[in-house]
Amino acid sequence: MRRLDSSTSAEAAGGVRRLARRLFGRAARVLLAAQLVAALVLLLRGQGLLQPFELAWHDATLRLHATDAAADRLAIVVADEEDIDRFGWPLPDATMAALIERIFAAGAEGVVIDIYRDRPIGDGHETLAALLAREPRIFWAYRLGDATHRGIRPPAALAGTPRAAFADVVTDPGEVIRRALIVAEDPES
């Protein structure tokens, strides 16, 4: 058995102290570096310098998780140049009423019109107004006014009903729409 004298125990204690300083010194440096990195990230984010990277990541994540599950239950009717040449633009009320009737006849459970329209167009206004009044499955978009655009009200038959919904959007940098407004105040009401 080896006998420890005071010089051996002093050397051992010094070694433990050196080891502790080395470990705690390393931990302190790691903690300080982590705090500096966190402060830098917060500063860059606060200045908006990380937003392009965050938005690109957000968009990529949405594309990665996107599914076509609802695609078989949704039909979008669009008007192209040929339709505009054939029917005119904006569509007369009679044509709009006939189109909505055909969509319902094809089995639609609801129709959402995303065309701003606050006044009668051409013939058939009474027909369209009567259809809007009797058919609870028709919803119509309108635009709220703001500092740069005047508001465009929904057709009179739907004004003040829950079937008239604002379709204003907020665009992010690059004119990309990533968000929808849930509530907005209508300055005209």
Side-chain angles (χ1 to χ4, degrees):
M1 204 155 104
R2 201 170 146 204
R3 187 174 160 198
L4 293 175
D5 60 12
S6 60
S7 66
T8 309
S9 62
E11 287 175 21
V16 169
R17 273 190 232 114
R18 278 193 304 276
L19 179 62
R21 256 186 277 149
R22 219 182 276 165
L23 288 177
F24 288 123
R26 193 174 291 156
R29 285 192 303 272
V30 168
L31 285 174
L32 178 63
Q35 289 176 342
L36 289 174
V37 168
L40 179 64
V41 167
L42 289 174
L43 179 68
L44 291 173
R45 191 165 193 280
Q47 297 297 315
L49 298 175
L50 295 180
Q51 187 178 35
F53 304 106
E54 292 171 346
L55 293 176
W57 179 262
H58 173 77
D59 294 345
T61 303
L62 286 181
R63 279 191 295 274
L64 182 67
H65 295 295
T67 65
D68 293 332
D72 60 343
R73 299 183 353 226
L74 179 67
I76 299 174
V77 179
V78 297
D80 59 15
E81 292 299 322
E82 186 178 314
D83 296 325
I84 292 171
D85 289 343
R86 181 175 173 196
F87 299 107
W89 192 260
L91 286 175
D93 287 354
T95 306
M96 182 68 79
L99 176 61
I100 295 170
E101 292 283 6
R102 286 184 66 190
I103 293 170
F104 279 124
E109 293 186 29
V111 174
V112 177
I113 310 293
D114 191 9
I115 298 173
Y116 298 139
R117 186 181 205 128
D118 59 351
R119 62 179 75 76
I121 308 287
D123 295 332
H125 174 66
E126 295 79 18
T127 306
L128 180 59
L131 176 62
L132 294 176
R134 81 169 181 271
E135 183 53 73
R137 300 176 297 163
I138 299 173
F139 299 84
W140 208 292
Y142 68 91
R143 182 172 71 189
L144 295 172
D146 61 22
T148 58
H149 299 96
R150 73 173 185 85
I152 301 176
R153 309 304 308 157
L158 296 179
T161 71
R163 294 175 24 225
F166 67 89
D168 300 53
V169 294
V170 177
T171 56
D172 285 335
E175 297 300 308
V176 176
I177 299 170
R178 294 183 178 91
R179 308 174 270 168
L181 295 172
I182 297 173
V183 177
E185 188 170 319
D186 186 356
E188 296 179 19
S189 64

